Amino acid sequence: MILIDGKKAAAELREELKHEVTGLKAKYNKVPGLTVILIGDLTPSQIYVRNKEKSANEVGLKSEVIKYPDSIEEKKVLEKIEELNKDETVSGILVQLPLPKHIDKQKVIETILPSKDVDGFHPMNVGNLSSGYESSVPCTPLGCYLLIKKVEPNLNGKKAVIVGRSNLNGKPMTQLLLKENCTVTITHSKTKDLKAECLEADIIIAAVGIPELVRGDWVKKDTIVIDVGINKTDNGIVGDVHFDEVSKNAKALTPVPGGVGPMTIACLLKNTIDCFKRSLS
Ligand code: GUN
C-alpha cells in the first residue's frame, strides 16, 4: 500500500512556489499578496489562519491577517473587502469560514472580486470551473486532485466515487475529475447503498465529516482512497476513512493528519500566485 505523504507533497509544492515568487519578484519588482480575514475566536479557525500566514511567509508572499471580534457588523466586513478589492498589493482575499450567524456568508463571498477569490467560492468561479474555463479552484479539492495525480497520472476512464456533495469539496472535486475523463458518482446521506457504490470505485474521495465511515470491505484492491475528513473523537482526530482496515485493501491512502490538510494550504498559496499572474495580463 502506498501511504500518500501530503506533508512531503506540500513541502515540494511550496518549494516550487518559492522559486516562482523569486522569479516574479525579479521580473516585476513586486510579490503576490494574500489577505486573510478572521472573524471571532474559534480555535480551529485560528490554527488554520496561523498556518496559512506561516506558509505564505515561507514562500515569500506578502501576507496580512485582519482580525475582527465576533460582534463586528456585516457592513464593516463588506466595506473592508471592497477596500481590499481596490488594493493593488492584494492579489488574493480569503475570509475564514465559518462566520458568526449575523453575517451572511453568501454576501461575503459575492463581495470578493472573482479575480481575487483564492477560495474559488464566488459563483463566477464555480461557473467557470463547471464550464471548463480558467478559474480559481477551491483549495481542498485541488490538493486532493494533485495527490491523486501523483499516484495515477492517467485518470482516463477511471471510476471515481465522491462521498459528500458540499460546495467546498464534493462538487468542485467532481468537476476536476470530469476534466480528467473520470466517470464520477457523487454520493451523499440519502444514497441507497454507499458500500456498493464504493466497491465500484477506482478512486474514493471521502469528504462527508463522519468518523471512519468508509470501512475495509467497502474498498476493492487497487483503489486510491483520499480522506478529506478531520473529525474530533474520544480517540483523537480521525478521518472519514477507517485507516487500519482500508490500508489493508487500498492501493494508496492518505493519512489523517498529514494527508490532504497540508496540501490545502499549499494550494491556497498556488491560487494566490495564479491570481497575481492573471492580474498582470
Ligand atoms: N474553513 C475551513 N476550510 C476553509 C476554506 O477552505 N476556506 C475558507 N475560507 N474557510 C475555511
Side-chain angles (χ1 to χ4, degrees):
M1 210 268 310
I2 302 166
L3 184 65
I4 303 174
D5 188 343
K7 247 184 167 167
K8 182 161 165 258
E12 286 166 5
L13 179 54
R14 282 199 305 272
E15 200 52 40
E16 278 173 36
L17 297 174
K18 197 171 163 178
H19 281 119
E20 198 172 356
V21 172
T22 306
L24 289 168
K25 192 174 177 184
K27 193 165 174 190
Y28 299 102
N29 198 27
K30 49 186 180 180
V31 293
L34 172 65
T35 298
V36 174
I37 297 179
L38 173 62
I39 304 170
D41 52 10
L42 284 178
T43 308
S45 291
Q46 285 178 329
I47 295 171
Y48 285 136
V49 169
R50 207 178 310 135
N51 286 336
K52 284 169 186 171
E53 192 180 19
K54 185 170 153 265
S55 301
N57 287 327
E58 199 186 309
V59 304
L61 302 185
K62 180 176 103 47
S63 149
E64 179 191 25
V65 178
I66 298 170
K67 290 184 182 164
Y68 290 124
D70 246 330
S71 57
I72 185 88
E73 275 177 68
E74 180 186 274
K75 189 165 153 275
K76 288 263 161 58
V77 178
L78 299 180
E79 280 169 5
K80 177 49 86 175
I81 295 172
E82 300 278 11
E83 187 188 315
L84 296 169
N85 282 342
K86 292 191 199 105
D87 185 338
E88 277 186 21
T89 68
V90 176
S91 321
I93 303 166
L94 180 144
V95 180
Q96 183 68 26
L97 304 175
L99 296 172
K101 283 204 176 67
H102 66 280
I103 298 182
D104 182 339
K105 180 175 84 173
Q106 196 60 21
K107 229 187 228 172
V108 166
I109 288 172
E110 290 187 15
T111 302
I112 298 172
L113 264 186
S115 58
K116 296 194 178 191
D117 166 34
V118 278
D119 263 324
F121 293 165
H122 191 289
M124 180 87 93
N125 281 318
V126 175
N128 279 339
L129 177 64
S130 70
S131 300
Y133 303 145
E134 187 159 315
S135 67
S136 280
V137 178
C139 305
T140 301
L142 181 58
C144 294
Y145 166 81
L146 295 175
L147 290 176
I148 295 167
K149 289 282 279 184
K150 264 188 188 286
V151 180
E152 181 59 73
N154 181 3
L155 301 177
N156 240 327
K158 298 281 183 204
K159 180 149 171 73
V161 171
I162 300 173
V163 187
R165 57 177 152 180
S166 71
N167 290 340
L168 252 77
N169 292 303
K171 287 180 199 160
M173 193 73 236
T174 306
Q175 302 300 343
L176 289 172
L177 293 173
L178 276 177
K179 260 197 201 172
E180 291 288 316
N181 300 319
C182 287
T183 302
V184 185
T185 303
I186 312 178
T187 65
H188 46 76
S189 56
K190 303 287 186 294
T191 296
K192 286 245 165 66
D193 190 345
L194 203 47
K195 177 179 173 183
E197 297 291 346
C198 287
L199 274 169
E200 297 278 316
D202 303 308
I203 302 163
I204 297 173
I205 292 110
V208 74
I210 302 175
E212 300 178 322
L213 174 73
V214 178
R215 307 300 298 243
D217 61 355
W218 291 27
V219 177
K220 64 182 167 84
K221 291 261 180 247
D222 287 336
T223 301
I224 300 170
V225 183
I226 305 291
D227 191 349
V228 181
I230 302 176
N231 307 294
K232 234 185 196 173
T233 70
D234 293 342
N235 299 323
I237 302 282
V238 300
D240 292 351
V241 174
H242 196 297
F243 186 88
D244 289 344
E245 287 182 15
V246 172
S247 62
K248 292 191 176 77
N249 277 353
K251 170 181 170 182
L253 172 61
T254 58
V256 177
V260 173
M263 278 304 275
T264 296
I265 295 184
C267 286
L268 170 65
L269 310 178
K270 179 180 167 12
N271 280 352
T272 305
I273 295 167
D274 288 345
C275 284
F276 174 83
K277 288 196 293 191
R278 283 196 287 266
S279 76
L280 296 168
S281 52

